[in-house]
Amino acid sequence: MEEYPEELRTPPVTLISMVGCPEVHALISTHLLSANPPINTLALPDLSKISLFSKKLDSDSNTTTSPPSSVPVILKRHWLLKHRTRLPSLLAALFPAQHVFGDPAQWLRVCSDLDSIKTVIRARNIKLAIVVLHSDAREEISEDRMIALRKRAEVDSRYILMFTPNDSSELKNSIGRLANTFAELASTYYSDEGKRIRLRIEKKSVSSVELIVRYCFKVAVYAEFRNDWVEALRFYEEAYHTLREIVGVSTRLPAVQRLIEIKMIAEQLHFKISTLLLHSGKVTEAVTWFRQHKNAYRKLIGVPDVIFLHWEWMSRQYLVFGELLETSTKNHQSISPALLGSSAKPLSEWECYPAYYYQLAAQYLREKRSALEIAASMSEASSEIDSTSESVVPSVYVGQFSRLLEQGDNADMLPLSDEEYMRYAVSEGKRFRDSFEIIALLKKACESYSNLKAQRMGSYCGFLMAKEYFAEGDISNAMQIFNSIATLYRKEGWVTLLWNVLGYLRECSIKNGNVKEFVEYSLELAALPVSFGTGIQRDPGPAGPANLLQREIIQKEVFELVNEGSRLPSNERFNSLKITGDKVLHLDVDLVSPLRLVLLASIAFHEQTIKPGSSTLITISLLSKLPLTVEIDQLDIQFNQSNCNFTIANAQKPQSIKFSGVQQRRMEMSPSLSLASNKWLRLTHDIKPDQSGKLECLSVIAKIGSHFTICCVAESPASLDSLALCTSEESTETLPIKDPILAFSGLKSSQVEEPDPEVDLCLGASGPALVGEIFVVPVTVISLGHDVYSGELKINLVDVRGGGLFSPRESEPYSMETHHVELLGITGQEGENEFQLGSDQIKKIQQSFGLISVPHLKSGDSWMCKLEIKWHRPKPIMLYASLSYTPHSDELHSQKVHVQKNFQIEGNAALVLSHRYLMPFRRDPLLLSRNKQGLESDPSESLPVNEKTVLIVGAKNCTEVPIRLQSISIEAEDDALESKGSVPDGNSELSDSSLLVPGEEFKKVFTVTSNMNISKIRPGNVCLRWRRDLGLKEQSMSMQTVTWAVTKEKLSDIIVELPPLVVSLECPPYAVLGDPFTYHVKILNQTQLLQEIKYSLGDAQNFVLSGSHNDTIYVLPKSEHILSYKLVPLACGSLQLPKISLASVRYSGAFQPENSSSSVFVFPSKPYFSTCASTSKGLELESAKDG
């Protein structure tokens, strides 16, 4: 499409001209160009240039290069360019206001200029507009002068415009009026011109059919100038159909040139019609129109001598329409092929895609190249062609050529005969190399098909492109494309197409002198499943016809080449291919290689498990699709255990057997190693593995001759897939092994069992592990028959429930460890140097993993180590111990023996700590923070200021083993607040270590004091030192060697506050039956406010009481109010005093004394006491010092 001139490729744009006042031309032109639709401007500085629009001047310029008048014409070559760049539709005359409204001399000059303008434009029917430039909008305008100006210019008053470029406020409006007026006049011009020419067509006052084509074309162009696309399309189609009627009728030119002219004009008309249809979104109509266009001219090939011009023209039609279709589909949605066409003539699947047209464009260009080569070879006087073609130039009319005859300063255009034109066409065709353009077209088609996910069509175009590269000698690009196409053809199973591609690849390898690639492509060609031909091949390619005979020829050529070695090949085509010296040509065949057709190796072990040192059978099955029998000299069978490798030699070729002195390999002889076509060659041999583990056959290397080997990856019969390209080929033998069980279940690997260990591994542990203690697990290695060399003991700790031993929480109280269970160290047995792995070294591996070397042990010896494991959280674990050793001192050739044992260990919590605070006896403060805790769920404790509170800490044994306690204490935190409140530690060591049996609880008492000026106390952590009771071993153990475990628990923070009210209960320590006593309730107000208290006293069945039961009292600031009651006990024993409830109205707080503080013991008679000291077992009381 780039070959077309710009005026044809782009839609027409209105052209106007401005003359006079050049200082405002740029301003007006810029605005008109940005308008919608845009308007091009031809600016003339003064009236001296308007002669360019003179019709006489235009006709004079045409006569200088026109052919003789006896030759009719259809379209002028530059007519469209003239109307777009040189012939305006409107002339805008710009005059300054002072010239129009000034003195009479200036007015006369304006009148003279107008007369000159009218004289020039009247012959062209160019419209006229007058623009008067004002320097100031407030200038006075003479109405009389304006009327005189309109009459002189002979224009309507609408087309005399005032323009004020210096007034920014009016500039936008005035320049907008200019644009609208210019567009209106330009549209009127193009409409009048179209009507004038259309009237000639309608009156049928046309002397020739050629003029009808010309007039229809001009009317369509004028309609395009007015953006009337419907009328433009109608007249372009009318011109196209009229032109088709000229074929075979017109005789105004020689036959060849007449057809060339008609085709070129038809090409322009078709381009215009397709552009209008596609840009309006009518893809269906555009594709249908193109089909009609190519069908109408496809058979108009003309004279056979220049048939290449027809193919070139057809190629250009497909190329241009493909580019138009590609451009339009980017702006519109893609159209489904099913929606295109009609029921009578449905369109094909690809006719709506640009790739289809690019492909056919390349195809017709190839036809043109072939026809041009024939025409060039048939031409006789090449020197004459070269001399005459230089003077041939395009004529001023579309599709015509003339000879330029220069005589001095004069130049004449002479007509050409058909013979002269044909020589010129052949000469011009030889100047260009069509291969590059063909490659570009095929590349565009391939990319377009790839975008449509049409790989098969894209590959076909790629194949054609690679053939062009091959013909041009660009072997590198050709091989790259051929290889990618061959991959798809192998996948799809297209044997004939693959045959053709491999033939080109084979020729490329010959040109590159690459022996390995030549052998690979040749063997694949020979192994393709073609028997007696695959149909008629128009272009079999360099590989020849695809049949069995050609396959045999190719196989013979390959094996002759590889067997000749350093000798010169018998075929001269292969002189560049040579195996030099002692080099061996080696081919690798893997699971996805196309050479699996050439040689396939299947390996099957007869047993799935093998004892070390015992023999087992293995079957090697080989299959080849080559047409001729292949004689193999020897086979090398390779395993992952090198000591099992062996060689199978052909007994018929003893001279080919070579022994290596470096490594002696087991040699087996076979009567014959002849591999017939499409028949399995089965060989069964025994092997004796010595090493345990997986024994797998890796590859089979077939040696053919002295310079050629093929290495095939071993495949299992059970996993053997059908060969590509061979699924439809009949085969008498389909199973690689005759035994059907092995054929469907046989594997290319077997498991060699480990030798039975003669070493025992014992794990011992006493009872469950306790959280916090260092739990020792003895591990004993006992040699029962094997010597132990290079022994390694691996220890792994695994969570029984899964999830790992690592703590998922970022921070946990009382412990900085991140593992629930941790392997601290491994200690050797007594008598040796103790081996201890530091914690840092273990962490470098893993805290749940340990590794230790086991010393050399003889048969009957034993060795023991101890594992030190610590639990930080209750969790059951599985302890895995794995021992690996060699029973012989030769580590390189000795097999490792493994012994594994596991043992589950429960990790339980040893002690459960608890604590509680006790207020002073029968003294209850009103703590406001406790009321807030009930609403906010704050776990902090609250204590009154300046009061002594008792803290009781309990430790309960929750295990099934006795535990001995060493001490219990409270340790302050490092960041604890320094305040006057404290928890005295006292003597934390117990006088005698306490023994706690399962379920027993030990308690210890502390005193908490708090003074003023503090808001919170951090008591710290309860620290408990303990160990497991060892029973009878306690007496023999030294206390210095005993390790005590530590359990810590954080005490919650204590909020210290001043209670506003304190209630104290006072009554005798005991009472006597029937004797009255006084019961006092004291309410202390510690605030500066008057407190309103509501109280109520409940009845008690065991007492007779006197006093107020319900009332409201007021307690003065910093004072105490006492409620007194007389009580007479009516029963004996521990009796509950009448319950009193108090409520503070101000604080909305209520409190009631505890039951323990509101009880008294009643004796039947007055008792008599004697002084004595007693100690309660299991309870120690510590008094704290004041302050």
Side-chain angles (χ1 to χ4, degrees):
M1 194 164 61
E2 287 76 8
E3 298 178 358
Y4 293 167
E6 183 181 0
E7 61 270 16
L8 186 65
R9 287 187 285 111
T10 58
V13 180
T14 300
L15 178 67
I16 70 166
S17 178
M18 292 186 300
V19 59
C21 301
E23 65 274 7
V24 296
H25 286 181
L27 176 63
I28 299 176
S29 300
T30 303
H31 178 78
L32 294 179
L33 191 61
S34 61
N36 188 17
I39 299 176
N40 285 335
T41 305
L42 186 61
L44 303 179
D46 51 51
L47 290 177
S48 62
K49 302 297 183 180
I50 63 172
S51 59
L52 297 173
F53 306 147
S54 174
K55 192 171 185 178
K56 181 179 179 181
L57 181 63
D58 186 50
S59 61
D60 293 341
S61 62
N62 289 337
T63 56
T64 57
T65 57
S66 298
S69 59
S70 60
V71 181
V73 294
I74 300 179
L75 293 181
K76 289 185 178 180
R77 186 180 301 275
H78 301 295
W79 180 85
L80 185 58
L81 178 63
K82 178 183 69 174
H83 279 269
R84 292 191 56 171
T85 59
R86 298 196 303 270
L87 186 60
S89 60
L90 166 70
L91 179 63
L94 281 65
F95 297 103
Q98 57 270 22
H99 289 183
V100 176
F101 306 109
D103 54 34
Q106 292 175 332
W107 166 247
L108 290 176
R109 182 179 177 183
V110 170
C111 293
S112 176
D113 292 344
L114 287 175
D115 293 339
S116 302
I117 292 173
K118 289 189 296 180
T119 301
V120 173
I121 67 175
R122 189 167 292 165
R124 293 287 189 180
N125 196 25
I126 298 175
K127 304 302 176 182
L128 177 63
I130 307 299
V131 180
V132 179
L133 271 66
H134 285 271
S135 59
D136 190 354
R138 293 171 294 182
E139 287 186 16
E140 295 184 2
I141 300 176
S142 174
E143 293 294 337
D144 295 338
R145 190 62 60 86
M146 288 294 294
I147 295 173
L149 179 64
R150 178 179 61 81
K151 291 181 179 181
R152 192 74 178 189
E154 298 179 2
V155 296
D156 192 90
S157 59
R158 295 179 300 164
Y159 306 135
I160 299 179
L161 306 173
M162 301 299 173
F163 183 57
T164 309
N166 298 328
D167 190 353
S168 59
S169 61
E170 290 293 330
L171 178 61
K172 184 175 181 181
N173 294 331
S174 59
I175 202 171
R177 287 193 297 268
L178 284 181
N180 294 334
T181 303
F182 292 169
E184 178 185 352
L185 288 172
S187 178
T188 303
Y189 167 81
Y190 293 122
S191 178
D192 293 344
E193 289 296 303
K195 289 178 182 179
R196 180 176 59 83
I197 300 177
R198 186 166 64 246
L199 187 60
R200 296 180 185 178
I201 302 174
E202 293 174 353
K203 289 184 177 182
K204 298 182 180 179
S205 60
V206 181
S207 61
S208 65
V209 184
E210 288 84 353
L211 290 179
I212 297 178
V213 177
R214 182 195 303 178
Y215 292 159
C216 290
F217 178 78
K218 290 185 176 182
V219 172
V221 171
Y222 288 137
E224 279 195 282
F225 273 112
R226 294 184 288 108
N227 295 335
D228 189 352
W229 314 119
V230 176
E231 182 175 348
L233 179 62
R234 182 164 61 88
F235 277 92
Y236 278 134
E237 291 179 351
E238 181 69 22
Y240 182 87
H241 293 306
T242 305
L243 180 68
R244 186 65 179 86
E245 298 175 358
I246 302 178
V247 179
V249 177
S250 177
T251 58
R252 54 190 177 77
L253 286 174
V256 174
Q257 299 181 64
R258 181 173 67 250
L259 187 59
I260 294 298
E261 179 188 17
I262 292 174
K263 284 184 178 180
M264 293 187 69
I265 295 175
E267 180 179 353
Q268 289 192 8
L269 294 175
H270 164 68
F271 176 80
K272 281 292 187 179
I273 295 170
S274 300
T275 303
L276 291 175
L277 289 174
L278 289 173
H279 284 191
S280 60
K282 299 178 180 179
V283 180
T284 303
E285 290 81 354
V287 174
T288 305
W289 174 266
F290 177 80
R291 172 189 276 192
Q292 297 173 0
H293 171 64
K294 59 101 174 178
N295 289 337
Y297 288 91
R298 182 177 53 185
K299 296 181 180 180
L300 296 179
I301 58 178
V303 180
D305 292 343
V306 286
I307 192 176
F308 64 89
L309 294 177
H310 173 72
W311 300 131
E312 182 182 15
W313 184 86
M314 289 292 294
S315 173
R316 190 164 58 250
Q317 306 311 299
Y318 278 93
L319 170 61
V320 171
F321 188 76
E323 292 176 346
L324 287 175
L325 189 62
E326 183 177 14
T327 305
S328 64
T329 52
K330 291 179 180 179
N331 302 323
H332 299 85
Q333 295 182 353
S334 60
I335 306 299
S336 174
L339 303 177
L340 298 179
S342 61
S343 58
K345 295 182 179 180
L347 299 181
S348 64
E349 180 182 359
W350 299 107
E351 282 189 78
C352 62
Y353 298 118
Y356 168 80
Y357 299 95
Y358 295 148
Q359 178 185 349
L360 289 181
Q363 179 179 338
Y364 280 113
L365 201 58
R366 293 173 65 200
E367 295 285 348
K368 176 249 180 177
R369 182 181 59 185
S370 301
L372 179 62
E373 291 175 355
I374 296 175
S377 63
M378 294 177 61
S379 62
E380 299 176 354
S382 59
S383 59
E384 182 182 356
I385 294 175
D386 294 336
S387 61
T388 59
S389 61
E390 294 178 356
S391 60
V392 177
V393 294
S395 176
V396 294
Y397 301 103
V398 176
Q400 294 187 12
F401 293 86
S402 303
R403 178 181 293 110
L404 179 64
L405 182 60
E406 296 180 352
Q407 296 178 353
D409 297 334
N410 298 325
D412 295 329
M413 302 291 290
L414 301 179
L416 290 176
S417 65
D418 278 353
E419 290 75 11
E420 292 174 338
Y421 177 76
M422 286 188 292
R423 288 196 297 268
Y424 162 74
V426 173
S427 176
E428 284 295 305
K430 292 172 61 177
R431 290 174 53 193
F432 303 98
R433 299 184 63 179
D434 296 322
S435 296
F436 297 132
E437 189 172 352
I438 294 173
I439 291 173
L441 290 173
L442 291 173
K443 186 175 182 180
K444 292 179 68 174
C446 184
E447 293 174 352
S448 183
Y449 279 127
S450 299
N451 295 334
L452 296 173
K453 308 300 181 184
Q455 294 185 356
R456 299 180 180 182
M457 293 297 297
S459 297
Y460 176 69
C461 293
F463 172 69
L464 298 178
M465 181 168 52
K467 288 176 61 177
E468 294 295 329
Y469 277 123
F470 179 80
E472 290 295 320
D474 192 348
I475 305 301
S476 176
N477 285 329
M479 287 196 69
Q480 182 179 358
I481 300 174
F482 279 134
N483 279 318
S484 63
I485 297 171
T487 302
L488 177 64
Y489 288 172
R490 294 186 190 107
K491 179 181 177 182
E492 297 290 342
W494 294 344
V495 178
T496 306
L497 296 177
L498 181 60
W499 174 278
N500 206 350
V501 173
L502 291 177
Y504 279 101
L505 286 171
R506 187 167 177 257
E507 293 300 317
C508 290
S509 62
I510 294 176
K511 293 182 179 297
N512 288 336
N514 194 319
V515 181
K516 183 177 181 179
E517 290 182 352
F518 171 78
V519 173
E520 289 178 346
Y521 296 135
S522 299
L523 290 178
E524 186 180 357
L525 264 174
L528 285 180
V530 290
S531 301
F532 303 101
T534 57
I536 299 176
Q537 293 179 269
R538 293 189 303 172
D539 182 15
N547 52 40
L548 180 61
L549 179 60
Q550 189 66 21
R551 291 172 56 197
E552 294 177 354
I553 294 175
I554 294 174
Q555 181 181 351
K556 290 179 182 178
E557 290 176 349
V558 173
F559 282 98
E560 286 178 2
L561 176 66
V562 297
N563 290 330
E564 287 174 353
S566 58
R567 295 177 298 171
L568 292 176
S570 58
N571 194 335
E572 295 181 357
R573 291 178 59 240
F574 307 144
N575 287 338
S576 59
L577 305 174
K578 188 177 179 182
I579 303 175
T580 58
D582 296 333
K583 293 184 179 180
V584 178
L585 180 62
H586 182 78
L587 300 184
D588 292 317
V589 181
D590 55 18
L591 299 180
V592 295
S593 173
L595 295 181
R596 289 179 75 232
L597 295 172
V598 178
L599 185 61
L600 175 67
S602 173
I603 306 297
F605 282 86
H606 289 212
E607 299 178 9
Q608 295 183 355
T609 58
I610 310 171
K611 293 288 184 181
S614 60
S615 298
T616 186
L617 294 178
I618 182 176
T619 298
I620 301 101
S621 303
L622 303 178
L623 178 66
S624 176
K625 297 291 182 178
L626 293 175
L628 300 177
T629 302
V630 178
E631 288 291 336
I632 301 176
D633 294 347
Q634 70 180 34
L635 293 173
D636 292 336
I637 317 301
Q638 297 184 346
F639 298 85
N640 60 339
Q641 298 182 12
S642 59
N643 56 347
C644 294
N645 297 345
F646 67 95
T647 300
I648 304 175
N650 192 346
Q652 297 179 3
K653 295 185 177 182
Q655 69 278 3
S656 63
I657 303 174
K658 294 182 180 181
F659 295 95
S660 176
V662 178
Q663 181 181 1
Q664 292 294 336
R665 181 179 295 180
R666 181 166 66 95
M667 181 70 69
E668 298 286 343
M669 302 298 296
S670 178
S672 175
L673 290 180
S674 298
L675 185 57
S677 176
N678 204 29
K679 292 185 179 180
W680 287 98
L681 173 62
R682 303 180 181 92
L683 305 171
T684 302
H685 294 272
D686 62 332
I687 57 174
K688 184 184 292 184
D690 296 330
Q691 298 181 2
S692 62
K694 183 180 181 180
L695 177 62
E696 180 180 8
C697 182
L698 301 178
S699 61
V700 177
I701 302 177
K703 184 177 181 182
I704 304 172
S706 58
H707 297 86
F708 184 42
T709 59
I710 302 178
C711 178
C712 297
V713 175
E715 302 184 39
S716 300
S719 61
L720 188 64
D721 298 331
S722 60
L723 292 177
L725 306 174
C726 296
T727 55
S728 60
E729 186 179 8
E730 296 183 0
S731 178
T732 56
E733 294 179 307
T734 58
L735 299 179
I737 302 177
K738 292 184 177 180
D739 187 353
I741 298 177
L742 285 178
F744 290 102
S745 63
L747 299 176
K748 67 172 182 177
S749 61
S750 182
Q751 188 67 31
V752 182
E753 298 178 351
E754 291 187 356
D756 296 332
E758 296 184 10
V759 173
D760 192 13
L761 186 62
C762 301
L763 303 177
S766 59
L770 302 181
V771 176
E773 72 170 346
I774 298 177
F775 189 72
V776 178
V777 179
V779 180
T780 305
V781 180
I782 304 174
S783 176
L784 303 178
H786 280 168
D787 292 347
V788 177
Y789 293 93
S790 303
E792 289 184 349
L793 180 63
K794 297 180 181 179
I795 305 298
N796 283 281
L797 305 181
V798 180
D799 188 0
V800 174
R801 303 186 183 94
L805 304 177
F806 188 80
S807 173
R809 291 169 286 184
E810 296 182 357
S811 61
E812 298 196 7
Y814 321 124
S815 177
M816 296 303 292
E817 294 85 358
T818 56
H819 278 67
H820 293 314
V821 184
E822 182 181 7
L823 178 62
L824 296 180
I826 304 176
T827 306
Q829 66 180 4
E830 298 179 0
E832 296 181 355
N833 294 328
E834 290 190 351
F835 175 76
Q836 181 77 23
L837 288 176
S839 58
D840 293 340
Q841 190 172 355
I842 292 179
K843 287 180 181 178
K844 291 179 181 178
I845 306 172
Q846 193 177 355
Q847 288 182 315
S848 58
F849 173 81
L851 177 65
I852 185 173
S853 299
V854 178
H856 168 60
L857 298 178
K858 295 182 179 180
S859 178
D861 294 346
S862 64
W863 176 83
M864 185 184 70
C865 66
K866 295 180 180 180
L867 310 180
E868 296 181 354
I869 308 174
K870 186 175 182 179
W871 269 256
H872 302 291
R873 296 288 181 274
K875 180 181 287 290
I877 67 164
M878 184 67 72
L879 172 63
Y880 289 93
S882 175
L883 174 66
S884 61
Y885 69 95
T886 56
H888 305 289
S889 59
D890 187 4
E891 298 182 9
L892 296 177
H893 300 87
S894 180
Q895 176 64 33
K896 281 274 188 180
V897 183
H898 301 276
V899 184
Q900 294 182 353
K901 289 291 180 70
N902 59 77
F903 182 73
Q904 182 173 344
I905 305 175
E906 297 290 337
N908 300 327
L911 298 167
V912 176
L913 297 178
S914 61
H915 71 279
R916 63 191 183 96
Y917 294 94
L918 295 180
M919 298 293 179
F921 187 63
R922 291 180 178 173
R923 185 175 177 87
D924 295 322
L926 175 61
L927 299 176
L928 300 179
S929 59
R930 291 188 178 180
N931 295 334
K932 296 181 181 179
Q933 291 174 13
L935 298 175
E936 301 175 2
S937 301
D938 190 355
S940 301
E941 296 283 351
S942 298
L943 296 179
V945 71
N946 294 330
E947 296 284 352
K948 293 183 179 180
T949 306
V950 175
L951 171 62
I952 300 177
V953 179
K956 184 178 180 180
N957 183 1
C958 58
T959 65
E960 298 179 357
V961 297
I963 292 179
R964 191 170 294 276
L965 300 181
Q966 182 189 27
S967 65
I968 180 170
S969 61
I970 298 179
E971 298 179 352
E973 295 181 352
D974 296 337
D975 58 346
L977 296 176
E978 294 183 2
S979 61
K980 296 183 180 180
S982 62
V983 181
D985 191 10
N987 184 14
S988 63
E989 295 287 341
L990 304 181
S991 58
D992 187 12
S993 58
S994 300
L995 180 65
L996 295 182
V997 298
E1000 186 178 1
E1001 184 178 9
F1002 176 84
K1003 294 183 179 180
K1004 188 170 182 180
V1005 179
F1006 299 90
T1007 301
V1008 179
T1009 61
S1010 60
N1011 294 332
M1012 296 293 292
N1013 302 326
I1014 60 173
S1015 60
K1016 183 181 291 187
I1017 296 178
R1018 296 182 180 176
N1021 301 325
V1022 176
C1023 182
L1024 182 65
R1025 298 183 180 274
W1026 59 275
R1027 63 177 173 83
R1028 186 194 299 255
D1029 184 64
L1030 302 178
L1032 298 177
K1033 296 182 181 180
E1034 288 282 342
Q1035 300 176 358
S1036 60
M1037 293 181 61
S1038 173
M1039 295 304 294
Q1040 298 179 354
T1041 61
V1042 174
T1043 302
W1044 296 87
V1046 178
T1047 300
K1048 293 183 178 182
E1049 182 174 319
K1050 179 178 174 59
L1051 295 175
S1052 59
D1053 295 344
I1054 302 172
I1055 298 176
V1056 180
E1057 61 178 300
L1058 178 65
L1061 299 173
V1062 179
V1063 179
S1064 302
L1065 304 181
E1066 292 185 2
C1067 69
Y1070 63 90
V1072 179
L1073 182 64
D1075 291 345
F1077 64 91
T1078 303
Y1079 177 41
H1080 297 287
V1081 179
K1082 297 182 178 181
I1083 304 172
L1084 177 61
N1085 181 6
Q1086 299 189 123
T1087 67
Q1088 300 291 336
L1089 305 174
L1090 180 65
Q1091 299 291 341
E1092 180 182 357
I1093 306 297
K1094 294 182 180 180
Y1095 69 92
S1096 63
L1097 185 69
D1099 293 331
Q1101 297 179 357
N1102 298 319
F1103 293 93
V1104 176
L1105 62 89
S1106 64
S1108 177
H1109 283 67
N1110 298 288
D1111 199 358
T1112 299
I1113 60 174
Y1114 296 91
V1115 184
L1116 297 176
K1118 297 295 182 179
S1119 63
E1120 186 179 44
H1121 184 84
I1122 301 176
L1123 300 177
S1124 299
Y1125 297 93
K1126 277 293 184 177
L1127 301 180
V1128 178
L1130 303 179
C1132 296
S1134 179
L1135 303 180
Q1136 192 71 29
L1137 294 172
K1139 291 186 178 180
I1140 184 169
S1141 299
L1142 298 98
S1144 173
V1145 177
R1146 181 181 296 276
Y1147 301 110
S1148 299
F1151 57 94
Q1152 188 176 17
E1154 297 181 358
N1155 293 335
S1156 60
S1157 63
S1158 59
S1159 62
V1160 67
F1161 191 85
V1162 179
F1163 290 93
S1165 60
K1166 187 174 182 180
Y1168 295 95
F1169 300 100
S1170 59
T1171 303
C1172 62
S1174 62
T1175 303
S1176 176
K1177 182 180 179 182
L1179 180 64
E1180 292 191 2
L1181 179 64
E1182 293 188 357
S1183 61
K1185 297 180 181 180
D1186 297 336

